Amino acid sequence: MAKILNELSRTFSEYLLIPNLTERDNLAESVQFHTPVVRYRKESEPPPLTIHIPLTSAIMQAVSDDRMAIALARCGGLSFVFGSQPVESQADMVRRVKKYKAGIVVSDSNLTPDNTLADVLAMKARTGHSTIAVTDDGTPAGRLLGLVTSRDYRVSRTPPDARVGSFMTPFEHLVVGEEGTSLSEANDIIWDHKINQLPIVGPDQRLVGLVFRKDYEEHKENPDELLDADKRLMVGAGINSRDYRERVPALVEAGADVLCIDSSDGFSVWQKDTLEWIRSEYGDAVRCGAGNVVDAEGFRYLADAGADFVKVGIGGGSICITREQKGIGRGQASAVLEVAAARDEYFEKTGIYVPVCSDGGIVYDYHMTLALAMGADFLMLGRYFARFDESPTRKLMFNGTYVKEYWGEGSNRARNWQRYDDGGASGRLSFEEGVDSYVPYAGKLKDNLDATLSKVKATMCSCGARTLEEFRQKSRLVLVSSTSIVEGGAHDVIPKESDRHS
């Protein structure tokens, strides 16, 4: 008969932290979030890849594209661009992030003079960008002929079929910078001429990129930007265990900093095969995480196979129904606690530290803090990031409130058989393990992220910790009863009408 584990499968909501002594230097500004992402010999070398906040965005169509990757890297986190798309389109997303170098942006909104105002409005709705470069061939590297901004037309007066060439600001009226202009010089030009954007052009008036005033201001507001050795934003990418021989080389060529095998169940020979192929082709030059697992045995299998980090969690995502459909999984708190203990044991035996990523099960902000206290080195979040302006999905009005679309990679909408198949030859999604849904729209990523991280910092201070490693060592957890959960919220009062956010 089946072996039965005697412990309960527990979630984050069943735990609370017991505060420790808060000392004089336990201040929010003294908290450091830096955390390793890939394996290393902890006692003898620094981590080869570190993120500045312990958050990554999920490998999902509804969450992680190049726009999300740019926004999160500017805040110190890391996105894993979704892999349920053709190889070349995923590689293009990675390239766009890497080309966002030093604030010089490769234009993703481009038209020709023969396009119309209707095309301008459609592009603005699609990209969210009001500045459109007008080039001779409509490409981001074409000969720059002019710019269109919202000041160049009035929807109420300009006919939809008006040619772009008739109302754009022509090249001869633009202030431009030459290729080779540094970011500092470009920002000086912007301020001196009181303009909002500066096109950078090369020989024959070819468009190189754009520098925006708002990006300079955002850079000053984001001192923790996650940059590689060439001062480019860092980005990850998801892969699968089927087409990795084609996908990995394309992503490496595009500049991806780290990869992750994306699967609902990572305890499989297919992931081992993928990791061994990457090691045989690239050695340690290409870093790749694996998962997902929920116990020590799964962790050790992937760590021995060469995984650079191990992702934990099956069925805990807000749109994931793997447990309901297949009857496999584990409460996220129980999974993180066991896998983190296995990581520490593995380090003691081998001297190699393999970071653990907690993926799923986060409903409230304090759940993030609990996951970190329980041993996760960093977290992967889907629903949390799907709510923001920077996610790839549409913002809609639903039942009187703004929402954003959100669907699982195991849903028919994503049709991501690479993530959910069992390694057989059929290569098709025979049943769904994710749902199609909405999440409440929450605004800009940075505004929400700052509030969330403030809560995590406050909790760490209450526990007497200044670093995540110290937090794990000092944390004391207690199980809570259903009655004490009620006691922990507002109760026995008549609340005023107000907006409450997690």
Side-chain angles (χ1 to χ4, degrees), residues 199-453:
I200 305 297
V201 296
D204 195 30
Q205 216 169 290
R206 294 286 172 181
L207 180 62
V208 174
L210 298 165
V211 179
F212 292 91
R213 176 191 291 261
K214 65 179 179 62
D215 287 340
Y216 170 81
E217 295 167 350
E218 288 178 4
H219 176 71
K220 292 300 183 182
E221 295 172 0
N222 294 286
D224 288 329
E225 281 184 324
L226 191 63
L227 304 175
D228 65 16
D230 296 318
K231 304 299 182 184
R232 302 175 300 176
L233 294 177
M234 300 186 75
V235 59
I239 63 172
N240 61 75
S241 56
R242 279 186 175 269
D243 66 6
Y244 56 87
R245 290 178 179 84
E246 296 77 37
R247 193 172 294 271
V248 170
L251 294 172
V252 170
E253 187 276 332
D257 296 283
V258 60
L259 307 176
C260 181
I261 308 171
D262 186 33
S263 174
S264 63
D265 176 13
F267 193 3
S268 76
V269 68
W270 313 112
Q271 293 217 0
K272 181 181 179 182
D273 291 345
T274 305
L275 291 167
E276 289 180 344
W277 182 86
I278 291 174
R279 291 289 167 258
S280 68
E281 293 293 316
Y282 297 97
D284 291 332
V286 172
R287 298 292 190 164
C288 185
N292 289 18
V293 301
V294 292
D295 66 356
E297 190 177 359
F299 170 86
R300 286 191 294 269
Y301 182 83
L302 292 178
D304 287 340
D308 281 296
F309 64 88
V310 174
K311 202 143 62 77
V312 180
I314 295 178
S318 59
I319 41 67
C320 184
I321 54 174
T322 295
R323 298 179 195 173
E324 180 181 311
Q325 292 282 57
K326 294 172 67 176
I328 65 170
R330 194 178 195 180
Q332 190 67 6
S334 295
V336 171
L337 285 166
E338 180 170 330
V339 173
R343 173 205 57 205
D344 294 342
E345 181 182 350
Y346 191 86
F347 168 66
E348 290 298 325
K349 289 182 176 180
T350 67
I352 298 172
Y353 188 87
V354 181
V356 166
C357 170
S358 175
D359 177 19
I362 302 296
V363 180
Y364 304 107
D365 285 352
Y366 84 91
H367 288 170
M368 300 183 198
T369 314
L370 286 169
L372 295 169
M374 290 175 180
D377 293 278
F378 60 99
L379 317 179
M380 182 171 281
L381 307 171
R383 182 195 64 86
Y384 179 83
F385 288 114
R387 304 172 301 149
F388 303 146
D389 286 324
E390 294 82 358
S391 74
T393 62
R394 297 180 298 170
K395 183 176 76 171
L396 306 168
M397 178 68 76
F398 180 73
N399 287 342
T401 59
Y402 281 110
V403 297
K404 294 205 76 176
E405 295 176 297
Y406 182 46
W407 59 90
E409 289 298 285
S411 68
N412 264 318
R413 180 168 185 171
R415 295 189 178 278
N416 189 359
W417 55 262
Q418 298 102 324
R419 174 178 169 88
Y420 288 89
D421 80 306
D422 59 3
S426 63
R428 58 188 175 87
L429 191 66
S430 55
F431 60 89
E432 292 186 276
E433 292 185 50
V435 300
D436 199 339
S437 61
Y438 299 117
V439 289
Y441 168 68
K444 293 184 180 298
L445 179 147
K446 180 171 169 50
D447 294 342
N448 288 272
L449 193 58
D450 286 348
T452 294
L453 295 177

Side-chain angles (χ1 to χ4, degrees), residues 48-117:
L49 176 56
T50 297
I51 52 179
H52 300 158
I53 61 173
L55 304 181
T56 63
S57 65
I59 310 169
M60 301 175 68
Q61 291 177 358
V63 180
S64 297
D65 65 352
D66 50 297
R67 191 172 175 219
M68 174 61 72
I70 289 169
L72 186 52
R74 299 198 75 176
C75 294
L78 184 71
S79 284
F80 286 85
V81 173
F82 71 91
S84 51
Q85 59 178 317
V87 172
E88 190 53 38
S89 64
Q90 186 187 22
D92 282 342
M93 287 187 180
V94 171
R95 287 190 193 95
R96 286 197 286 272
V97 180
K98 303 308 289 187
K99 287 180 180 178
Y100 196 92
K101 180 180 179 181
I104 299 176
V105 186
V106 176
S107 177
D108 66 353
S109 300
N110 310 283
L111 294 173
T112 71
D114 292 328
N115 285 109
T116 65
L117 176 61

Side-chain angles (χ1 to χ4, degrees), residues 126-181:
R126 185 173 68 254
T127 66
H129 300 154
S130 58
T131 298
I132 295 174
V134 183
T135 59
D136 60 344
D137 57 3
T139 69
R143 185 168 177 266
L144 183 64
L145 302 179
L147 285 183
V148 171
T149 71
S150 56
R151 293 180 297 181
D152 290 313
Y153 58 86
R154 292 180 66 179
V155 176
S156 60
R157 296 188 179 183
T158 309
D161 59 354
R163 290 179 64 255
V164 167
S166 68
F167 59 82
M168 70 181 186
T169 301
F171 181 82
E172 55 268 23
H173 293 166
L174 296 174
V175 177
V176 301
E178 295 183 359
E179 188 172 13
T181 300

Side-chain angles (χ1 to χ4, degrees), residues 453-470:
L453 295 177
S454 292
K455 296 177 189 178
V456 178
K457 287 180 179 180
T459 303
M460 289 176 64
C461 290
S462 292
C463 293
R466 289 172 292 274
T467 67
L468 292 176
E469 185 169 8
E470 187 181 18

